[in-house]
Amino acid sequence: CGRDNFPIFFRKAKMPRGKFTVDGPQSQPRSKSEFVDGRELYVGLEITLLTNYKFFIYDVDDFTREYFKEELGVELEPRIEVQLPERAVPRAQTPPYTGYGSWDDSMSSVTHLIPKAPQKDFNKLFQHDGKVLRFKARFNNPKPEDAERIFVISFYLQDDCLAIHEPPQRNLGIVTGRFLEKAVHMNQITGQLFKAEDLLPGNIVKVYNHEFEMLDMDEYSNKLFNDPSAHYKAYDAQGVVEKLRESMRQQFPLVRDIFRRFDMDHDGVITVGEFRKALEKFGFANLPEEFVVQLLKHFDVRGDGQVSYNEFCDKMLDEDAPVGMLKTKPPIDTNYDSAYDDRAHYKVVERQETAAVRKAVKRLGEIVAKRENMFTKILKEFKHLTHEETVSIPQIHQALLQTGNIMEMEDIERAVVHIMPQVDLEAVPYVELFKSVKTTFHDFSHCR
């Protein structure tokens, strides 16, 4: 009830039957039959304890079921579903959005006693940086003097801001320019913040009591609506490589340091994911996936889907002692190769699986080699599980859990296949397996 340090209803002790009284030093000791016996309890029992507390037993744990079945010969009833009534907590209704300021600013005043600055969606800012949808609109049911007025509504995908601009027209008689400044605004027709779908041609929108009829959209907006993940910006591959080379030389004088900056998991090669993150760090963000693969292919001389240290040096550095004139670097192949794209992404999956195998073997070795007598405890546990000399993967998992070692079954399978490649996973010789784990643990190559 909020007064106890921790939720203890009755401390471990013998519980008397019937009315609960506190015995003094002069009281007669109670007999065994005057206390509650746990072997008399069962599923579905209603019992009154501690004078007036009524309890209903609706389930027991697995150990209790096994004890009743093996020791007492009693099969307990299955679990009885008990549905406690849900407590309805009254909640004040959220006040309507007034349209002033942003929605996040207004909601912070509702949800916090001391308003906090709303957090920005950096993923959205990063993915949609510079993407602006532009639509052509006019007043809906205008006055005669406003019938010829045309507006350009700009919607910014990075932060859902809206701006309205009126382009100049000859002999209009009205001062044109900015009609509505850039901010997060509410569509009074839907009662929600503006979305890009609200501005499609043919729709009617209303902002600050001004109704607009959407007429048209520009070509970029039309393409982006048809394929939201598409990129319609042309990139100069050769220029990007030259800028990348110059930026890396300015930050790191040694090619070794540059390669280490790219190779984040320190496995000796650069994959397409690491290459993309490195490009982002050097200022080349939001590049299309196909373009990143083309740049990776330029560095990958062997064409195996990843870049080694020697290949990286060949593309970054010039020849040390050229015999004749200094050779120029070959141009970048701008043709997209789908087969190389599949090969590069396959290498990413392969490297991830290699890292998972390395981690699993290291974890199993730490269990056996770094803890004294753990090898003997695991072998004893296997003897309790089976009389055979072979075990399965689930049995290895169970033996490790019984000895206090938590390890996923998939990781156990990875470690077993790595240590004993030809073994049958349903019949693993456990003595030979754990001897191999213990003897080869210190020889296992760690990733530096």
Side-chain angles (χ1 to χ4, degrees), residues 371-382:
R371 302 176 62 180
E372 295 184 6
N373 301 326
M374 184 55 65
F375 179 73
T376 307
K377 291 180 181 179
I378 294 175
L379 294 185
K380 288 183 179 180
E381 192 62 36
F382 279 127

PDB file of all heavy atoms in Angstrom, residues 371-382:
ATOM      1  N   ARG A 371      36.752 -20.366 -16.108  1.00  0.00           N
ATOM      2  CA  ARG A 371      36.144 -20.659 -14.806  1.00  0.00           C
ATOM      3  C   ARG A 371      36.587 -22.042 -14.332  1.00  0.00           C
ATOM      4  O   ARG A 371      36.460 -23.025 -15.077  1.00  0.00           O
ATOM      5  CB  ARG A 371      34.622 -20.572 -14.909  1.00  0.00           C
ATOM      6  CG  ARG A 371      34.131 -19.211 -15.377  1.00  0.00           C
ATOM      7  CD  ARG A 371      32.632 -19.161 -15.568  1.00  0.00           C
ATOM      8  NE  ARG A 371      31.920 -19.399 -14.331  1.00  0.00           N
ATOM      9  CZ  ARG A 371      30.594 -19.399 -14.235  1.00  0.00           C
ATOM     10  NH1 ARG A 371      29.863 -19.193 -15.334  1.00  0.00           N
ATOM     11  NH2 ARG A 371      29.996 -19.616 -13.089  1.00  0.00           N
ATOM     12  N   GLU A 372      37.085 -22.095 -13.140  1.00  0.00           N
ATOM     13  CA  GLU A 372      37.606 -23.360 -12.621  1.00  0.00           C
ATOM     14  C   GLU A 372      36.473 -24.356 -12.395  1.00  0.00           C
ATOM     15  O   GLU A 372      35.379 -24.001 -11.954  1.00  0.00           O
ATOM     16  CB  GLU A 372      38.339 -23.104 -11.305  1.00  0.00           C
ATOM     17  CG  GLU A 372      39.584 -22.256 -11.438  1.00  0.00           C
ATOM     18  CD  GLU A 372      40.316 -22.130 -10.121  1.00  0.00           C
ATOM     19  OE1 GLU A 372      39.887 -22.801  -9.155  1.00  0.00           O
ATOM     20  OE2 GLU A 372      41.294 -21.374 -10.058  1.00  0.00           O
ATOM     21  N   ASN A 373      36.799 -25.614 -12.681  1.00  0.00           N
ATOM     22  CA  ASN A 373      35.881 -26.747 -12.472  1.00  0.00           C
ATOM     23  C   ASN A 373      34.605 -26.667 -13.307  1.00  0.00           C
ATOM     24  O   ASN A 373      33.718 -27.507 -13.133  1.00  0.00           O
ATOM     25  CB  ASN A 373      35.490 -26.876 -10.991  1.00  0.00           C
ATOM     26  CG  ASN A 373      36.688 -27.083 -10.104  1.00  0.00           C
ATOM     27  OD1 ASN A 373      37.672 -27.722 -10.504  1.00  0.00           O
ATOM     28  ND2 ASN A 373      36.632 -26.553  -8.879  1.00  0.00           N
ATOM     29  N   MET A 374      34.474 -25.673 -14.200  1.00  0.00           N
ATOM     30  CA  MET A 374      33.272 -25.604 -15.019  1.00  0.00           C
ATOM     31  C   MET A 374      33.232 -26.737 -16.031  1.00  0.00           C
ATOM     32  O   MET A 374      32.156 -27.257 -16.352  1.00  0.00           O
ATOM     33  CB  MET A 374      33.199 -24.243 -15.726  1.00  0.00           C
ATOM     34  CG  MET A 374      31.927 -24.024 -16.537  1.00  0.00           C
ATOM     35  SD  MET A 374      30.415 -24.241 -15.575  1.00  0.00           S
ATOM     36  CE  MET A 374      30.572 -22.891 -14.409  1.00  0.00           C
ATOM     37  N   PHE A 375      34.404 -27.139 -16.532  1.00  0.00           N
ATOM     38  CA  PHE A 375      34.463 -28.252 -17.472  1.00  0.00           C
ATOM     39  C   PHE A 375      33.910 -29.518 -16.822  1.00  0.00           C
ATOM     40  O   PHE A 375      33.111 -30.256 -17.418  1.00  0.00           O
ATOM     41  CB  PHE A 375      35.918 -28.455 -17.925  1.00  0.00           C
ATOM     42  CG  PHE A 375      36.108 -29.585 -18.885  1.00  0.00           C
ATOM     43  CD1 PHE A 375      35.702 -29.490 -20.199  1.00  0.00           C
ATOM     44  CD2 PHE A 375      36.688 -30.788 -18.473  1.00  0.00           C
ATOM     45  CE1 PHE A 375      35.867 -30.533 -21.084  1.00  0.00           C
ATOM     46  CE2 PHE A 375      36.863 -31.830 -19.347  1.00  0.00           C
ATOM     47  CZ  PHE A 375      36.454 -31.706 -20.660  1.00  0.00           C
ATOM     48  N   THR A 376      34.304 -29.779 -15.568  1.00  0.00           N
ATOM     49  CA  THR A 376      33.814 -30.974 -14.860  1.00  0.00           C
ATOM     50  C   THR A 376      32.326 -30.872 -14.566  1.00  0.00           C
ATOM     51  O   THR A 376      31.587 -31.862 -14.689  1.00  0.00           O
ATOM     52  CB  THR A 376      34.607 -31.154 -13.559  1.00  0.00           C
ATOM     53  OG1 THR A 376      36.002 -31.159 -13.856  1.00  0.00           O
ATOM     54  CG2 THR A 376      34.229 -32.454 -12.876  1.00  0.00           C
ATOM     55  N   LYS A 377      31.856 -29.682 -14.186  1.00  0.00           N
ATOM     56  CA  LYS A 377      30.434 -29.520 -13.890  1.00  0.00           C
ATOM     57  C   LYS A 377      29.576 -29.770 -15.125  1.00  0.00           C
ATOM     58  O   LYS A 377      28.505 -30.397 -15.040  1.00  0.00           O
ATOM     59  CB  LYS A 377      30.182 -28.107 -13.371  1.00  0.00           C
ATOM     60  CG  LYS A 377      30.767 -27.849 -11.997  1.00  0.00           C
ATOM     61  CD  LYS A 377      30.468 -26.424 -11.551  1.00  0.00           C
ATOM     62  CE  LYS A 377      31.066 -26.133 -10.177  1.00  0.00           C
ATOM     63  NZ  LYS A 377      30.794 -24.745  -9.738  1.00  0.00           N
ATOM     64  N   ILE A 378      30.029 -29.279 -16.284  1.00  0.00           N
ATOM     65  CA  ILE A 378      29.247 -29.477 -17.511  1.00  0.00           C
ATOM     66  C   ILE A 378      29.200 -30.957 -17.885  1.00  0.00           C
ATOM     67  O   ILE A 378      28.144 -31.475 -18.282  1.00  0.00           O
ATOM     68  CB  ILE A 378      29.837 -28.624 -18.647  1.00  0.00           C
ATOM     69  CG1 ILE A 378      29.672 -27.137 -18.342  1.00  0.00           C
ATOM     70  CG2 ILE A 378      29.177 -28.953 -19.973  1.00  0.00           C
ATOM     71  CD1 ILE A 378      30.316 -26.219 -19.348  1.00  0.00           C
ATOM     72  N   LEU A 379      30.331 -31.667 -17.746  1.00  0.00           N
ATOM     73  CA  LEU A 379      30.330 -33.106 -18.058  1.00  0.00           C
ATOM     74  C   LEU A 379      29.425 -33.875 -17.111  1.00  0.00           C
ATOM     75  O   LEU A 379      28.722 -34.818 -17.528  1.00  0.00           O
ATOM     76  CB  LEU A 379      31.762 -33.637 -17.984  1.00  0.00           C
ATOM     77  CG  LEU A 379      32.747 -33.093 -19.033  1.00  0.00           C
ATOM     78  CD1 LEU A 379      34.088 -33.789 -18.905  1.00  0.00           C
ATOM     79  CD2 LEU A 379      32.200 -33.249 -20.440  1.00  0.00           C
ATOM     80  N   LYS A 380      29.390 -33.500 -15.842  1.00  0.00           N
ATOM     81  CA  LYS A 380      28.486 -34.162 -14.904  1.00  0.00           C
ATOM     82  C   LYS A 380      27.038 -33.904 -15.267  1.00  0.00           C
ATOM     83  O   LYS A 380      26.175 -34.784 -15.141  1.00  0.00           O
ATOM     84  CB  LYS A 380      28.762 -33.679 -13.481  1.00  0.00           C
ATOM     85  CG  LYS A 380      30.057 -34.204 -12.885  1.00  0.00           C
ATOM     86  CD  LYS A 380      30.218 -33.725 -11.457  1.00  0.00           C
ATOM     87  CE  LYS A 380      31.514 -34.279 -10.836  1.00  0.00           C
ATOM     88  NZ  LYS A 380      31.684 -33.802  -9.434  1.00  0.00           N
ATOM     89  N   GLU A 381      26.767 -32.707 -15.715  1.00  0.00           N
ATOM     90  CA  GLU A 381      25.394 -32.376 -16.102  1.00  0.00           C
ATOM     91  C   GLU A 381      24.961 -33.187 -17.321  1.00  0.00           C
ATOM     92  O   GLU A 381      23.795 -33.607 -17.418  1.00  0.00           O
ATOM     93  CB  GLU A 381      25.298 -30.878 -16.393  1.00  0.00           C
ATOM     94  CG  GLU A 381      23.885 -30.349 -16.522  1.00  0.00           C
ATOM     95  CD  GLU A 381      23.093 -30.516 -15.248  1.00  0.00           C
ATOM     96  OE1 GLU A 381      23.679 -30.369 -14.155  1.00  0.00           O
ATOM     97  OE2 GLU A 381      21.884 -30.834 -15.356  1.00  0.00           O
ATOM     98  N   PHE A 382      25.888 -33.421 -18.256  1.00  0.00           N
ATOM     99  CA  PHE A 382      25.559 -34.264 -19.414  1.00  0.00           C
ATOM    100  C   PHE A 382      25.262 -35.698 -18.987  1.00  0.00           C
ATOM    101  O   PHE A 382      24.387 -36.362 -19.556  1.00  0.00           O
ATOM    102  CB  PHE A 382      26.713 -34.239 -20.414  1.00  0.00           C
ATOM    103  CG  PHE A 382      26.730 -33.026 -21.293  1.00  0.00           C
ATOM    104  CD1 PHE A 382      27.864 -32.240 -21.407  1.00  0.00           C
ATOM    105  CD2 PHE A 382      25.608 -32.653 -22.010  1.00  0.00           C
ATOM    106  CE1 PHE A 382      27.890 -31.114 -22.206  1.00  0.00           C
ATOM    107  CE2 PHE A 382      25.617 -31.527 -22.811  1.00  0.00           C
ATOM    108  CZ  PHE A 382      26.759 -30.755 -22.905  1.00  0.00           C
TER     109      PHE A 382
END
